[in-house]
């Protein structure tokens, strides 16, 4: 129910209420609040289970859903649309308003593969720490908490990095560096996980926020809920297949090969989405949406204007 209804609807609610020039900042705070809640819930929940048992904790958890529903209801009706100035790096491509969810499959692919990585990684980590290294649940919890702290750091770092880099570059580079951490962390025992898990989470978190911002900014209010619904559904479907492949490899070898396979699949997906989202060929000088210059000048402009969104470098000089 959460994956099918709440996530898509809440994403549409954010798109509906947050002005375009504040999406980056809001998404960074949203991810920071989400990860902080997960970190606190894991720590406090474990203590409460040991002290009070599982049933009181489940009742309390149900109460948090009720509070969340009241908070959503308190948001109120949709406000009147006010004209807002859109910052250049937040402005989506000129054709974004007419895109349906299926036409945004490139943004959906980049965002959804993050869900696959997180889910499969969460299955591999306890297998590696507890099953193969024969360490206790406390060690696993400490490594997992370090990963959450790395994600919190990513949310803060994204607000700084996004001032100088486009979201597409942040997403692609972040996912690629996370793949490198997935391969290396399993090569050095528990020390590798202590260092590699928070570092990978740091890179992954920035890429996750950037891909979320791109998908949200590229969809109009009428289709953003369906776009995130397709991303969640596609991510869950892909997770089923990837989990099966990784489990087969891990059962017959070692978790390091499972991490390597996960990194390889994520690498191929990231590169595919990144290539599909490359800037289009320069249009003629009379195109109203772009006003591109000659191909040579456009190439030079593409190098200088790195901060333009999704690689669409618009000529800011008066014609």
């Amino acid at each position: 129910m959460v994956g099918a209804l709440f996530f898509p609807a809440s994403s549409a609610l954010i798109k509906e209420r947050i002005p375009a020039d504040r999406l980056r900042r809001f998404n960074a705070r949203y991810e920071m609040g989400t990860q902080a809640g997960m970190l606190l819930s894991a720590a406090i929940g474990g203590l409460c289970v040991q002290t009070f048992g599982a049933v009181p904790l489940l009742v309390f958890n149900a109460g948090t859903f009720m509070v969340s529903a009241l908070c959503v209801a308190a948001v109120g009706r949709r406000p009147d649309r006010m004209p807002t100035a859109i910052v250049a790096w937040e402005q989506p491509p000129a054709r974004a308003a007419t895109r349906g969810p299926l036409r945004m499959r490139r943004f959906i692919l980049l965002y959804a593969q993050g869900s696959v990585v997180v889910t499969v990684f969460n299955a591999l980590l306890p297998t590696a720490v507890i099953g193969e290294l024969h360490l206790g649940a406390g060690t696993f919890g400490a490594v997992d908490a370090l990963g959450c702290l790395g994600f919190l750091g990513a949310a803060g770092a994204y607000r700084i990095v996004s001032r100088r880099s486009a979201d597409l570059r942040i997403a692609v580079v972040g996912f690629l560096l996370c793949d490198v951490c997935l391969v290396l962390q399993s090569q050095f025992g528990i020390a590798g996980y202590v260092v590699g898990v928070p570092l990978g989470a740091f890179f992954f978190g920035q890429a996750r926020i950037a891909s979320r911002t791109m998908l949200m900014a590229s969809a109009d209010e009428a289709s953003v809920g369906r776009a995130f619904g397709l991303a969640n559904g596609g991510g869950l479907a892909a997770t089923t297949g990837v989990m099966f492949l990784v489990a087969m490899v891990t059962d017959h070898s070692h978790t390091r090969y499972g991490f390597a396979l996960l990194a390889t699949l994520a690498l191929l997906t990231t590169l595919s989405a990144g290539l599909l989202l490359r800037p289009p060929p320069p249009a003629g000088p009379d195109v109203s949406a772009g006003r591109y210059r000659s191909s040579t000048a456009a190439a030079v402009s593409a190098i200088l204007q790195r901060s333009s969104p999704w690689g669409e470098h618009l000529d800011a000089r008066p014609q």
Side-chain angles (χ1 to χ4, degrees):
M1 296 297 292
V2 171
L5 297 178
F6 178 77
F7 283 158
S10 62
S11 299
L13 185 66
I14 293 171
K15 174 73 174 183
E16 179 182 276
R17 306 303 175 95
I18 305 301
D21 58 342
R22 293 177 55 196
L23 270 180
R24 274 186 162 185
R25 179 180 299 179
F26 182 88
N27 280 327
R29 291 178 176 178
Y30 179 89
E31 291 292 343
M32 185 179 297
T34 301
Q35 295 305 315
M38 294 176 62
L39 177 62
L40 291 175
S41 65
I44 298 176
L47 294 175
C48 290
V49 166
Q50 294 181 358
T51 304
F52 307 107
V55 174
L57 184 64
L58 292 174
V59 174
F60 175 79
N61 193 36
T64 63
F65 279 88
M66 297 298 298
V67 174
S68 298
L70 293 175
C71 290
V72 174
V75 171
R77 299 180 58 184
R78 175 178 175 176
D80 295 334
R81 176 61 58 192
M82 299 295 293
T84 56
I86 299 179
V87 181
W89 50 260
E90 284 289 354
Q91 187 174 358
R95 60 183 180 275
T98 61
R99 287 177 173 172
L102 290 178
R103 295 191 176 186
M104 291 184 295
R105 56 187 177 274
R106 296 166 293 181
F107 296 103
I108 292 174
L109 176 64
L110 192 62
Y111 177 78
Q113 65 103 15
S115 301
V116 179
V117 172
V118 168
T119 305
V120 179
F121 173 81
N122 287 337
L124 284 174
L125 184 61
T127 304
V129 175
I130 300 177
E132 293 182 349
L133 297 179
H134 305 291
L135 299 174
T139 303
F140 165 71
V143 173
D144 192 51
L146 288 174
C148 292
L149 291 177
F151 211 121
L152 285 176
Y158 171 79
R159 298 181 60 181
I160 300 175
V161 175
S162 61
R163 298 172 185 172
R164 297 180 176 272
S165 299
D167 280 323
L168 177 60
R169 181 188 299 176
I170 297 174
V172 172
V173 173
F175 283 136
L176 293 180
L177 291 177
C178 177
D179 296 337
V180 174
C181 292
L182 285 175
V183 175
L184 295 180
Q185 68 187 6
S186 59
Q187 307 298 319
F188 303 98
I190 187 60
Y193 292 109
V194 169
V195 176
V197 169
L199 189 61
F202 179 78
F203 295 133
F204 177 87
Q206 296 183 66
R208 179 73 169 179
I209 298 172
S211 61
R212 174 186 174 85
T213 301
M214 284 195 295
L215 179 57
M216 184 171 292
S218 299
D220 57 6
E221 294 180 7
S223 62
V224 64
R226 294 191 294 274
F228 275 91
L230 286 174
N232 290 330
L236 291 173
T239 299
T240 304
V242 174
M243 186 76 78
F244 177 78
L245 292 176
V246 171
M248 292 291 293
V249 171
T250 303
D251 288 344
H252 291 83
S253 56
H254 194 274
T255 52
R256 67 169 63 97
Y257 298 108
F259 281 116
L261 177 58
L262 175 62
T264 301
L265 296 176
L267 173 67
L268 295 176
T269 304
T270 300
L271 292 179
S272 299
L275 291 175
L276 289 173
L277 291 171
R278 288 183 305 174
D286 58 341
V287 177
S288 60
R291 294 185 181 180
Y292 290 98
R293 289 169 287 184
S294 65
S295 58
T296 303
V300 177
S301 177
I303 298 176
L304 297 178
Q305 302 179 15
R306 292 291 189 180
S307 60
S308 299
W310 304 290
E312 298 214 6
H313 309 289
L314 301 180
D315 186 4
R317 300 187 306 173
Q319 298 295 317

